Amino acid sequence: MDTPNGDGINDTFALAYVLLKLTRPATAFLTIYDLSGRRVRHIASGPIFSGQRVQIWDGLSEDRRLVLPGLYLWSLRIEADSGVVERQGAVGVAY
């Protein structure tokens, strides 16, 4: 549960993953959607290399405002030398 209220506890959603055996740098995209499918935030990182990685969402929308409390969907897309991998999940936001 993400609680972006500035108290320093669970203020961000951290999605950890591991990239193995890359021969070239990859690019990762974390996209947050509301339940209607509207994109709330798109976070790109790159270039990244093999090893442990973390994508962070701070509970803010594209215009840097706190999102409303509720359930949000996330999609992690990694474009690597071996192809594209996507994973999805959900994260709750509460104040």
Side-chain angles (χ1 to χ4, degrees):
M1 173 95 37
D2 184 22
T3 59
N5 57 9
D7 67 359
I9 301 170
N10 295 329
D11 282 340
T12 61
F13 168 62
L15 181 61
Y17 56 95
V18 177
L19 296 175
L20 302 173
K21 300 181 183 178
L22 293 179
T23 59
R24 295 187 317 235
T27 304
F29 302 95
L30 176 62
T31 307
I32 308 296
Y33 300 93
D34 64 17
L35 290 180
S36 70
R38 185 178 56 95
R39 188 173 91 178
V40 173
R41 183 84 181 270
H42 183 71
I43 304 163
S45 72
I48 55 177
F49 301 90
S50 296
Q52 295 182 344
R53 302 285 167 228
V54 176
Q55 292 287 112
I56 303 286
W57 178 47
D58 54 9
L60 301 178
S61 64
E62 293 286 1
D63 60 1
R64 298 298 205 221
R65 295 183 185 178
L66 276 176
V67 299
L68 295 173
L71 192 61
Y72 291 83
L73 305 174
W74 59 262
S75 174
L76 178 66
R77 177 183 172 95
I78 299 173
E79 297 174 358
D81 52 358
S82 61
V84 175
V85 175
E86 286 191 72
R87 299 289 184 264
Q88 295 84 29
V91 59
V93 174
Y95 304 151

